[in-house]
Amino acid sequence: ESLDRSFPAWQGKILDAPGVSRETHWVALDGDRPVGMTFLKRLSEDAAENDYTGVASTHRGQGIARALKRRAIAWARQHGVSWFYTSSEIGNARMIAINTRLGYQPGVRRLEVAR
């Protein structure tokens, strides 16, 4: 598939953006193959957003997403974060269930549009 932007542009937005560091990215591996990932975006000294979690379709339903999110939360707590935020697609029942089990509570609905 083609990307809508270059790798350096993606890297600037995902790996080097404000509030994000390479230290706050986690990747789940099956051998040497990446099968899941998540990262935290620091919002303030004591708040962070679990900005994205994804697992390869071949590995879903095995607890990988939950384990990645738990690892990110543990790291954040060790680094002074006490407020956690996340988001999910409205129809993503599996991720909503994971977030609920982790203690996230529904908040504001956000609508994104593009033209």
Side-chain angles (χ1 to χ4, degrees):
E1 295 179 28
S2 64
L3 299 174
D4 62 344
R5 59 184 167 267
S6 68
F7 179 76
W10 174 88
Q11 181 178 6
K13 181 177 179 178
I14 303 300
L15 296 179
D16 301 324
V20 178
S21 76
R22 292 164 195 246
E23 185 179 31
T24 59
H25 282 74
W26 293 269
V27 177
L29 299 173
D30 182 0
D32 61 354
R33 179 178 171 228
V35 295
M37 62 84 58
T38 195
F39 71 91
L40 286 177
K41 180 177 183 180
R42 200 78 182 246
L43 302 174
S44 68
E45 191 172 307
D46 66 345
E49 179 181 8
N50 197 181
D51 205 20
Y52 184 82
T53 303
V55 175
S57 60
T58 56
H59 288 69
R60 291 184 186 149
Q62 299 177 30
I64 295 170
R66 185 171 182 210
L68 285 165
K69 282 191 166 224
R70 288 178 59 141
R71 178 64 191 106
I73 290 167
W75 181 93
R77 284 188 175 143
Q78 293 171 354
H79 289 84
V81 174
S82 54
W83 293 95
F84 296 90
Y85 300 89
T86 193
S87 61
S88 178
E89 297 291 324
I90 291 172
N92 191 342
R94 292 174 109 180
M95 188 57 69
I96 292 168
I98 289 168
N99 290 335
T100 299
R101 283 193 302 270
L102 291 173
Y104 287 103
Q105 298 176 0
V108 177
R109 277 195 169 179
R110 179 173 62 193
L111 175 64
E112 293 183 27
V113 296
R115 178 177 173 192

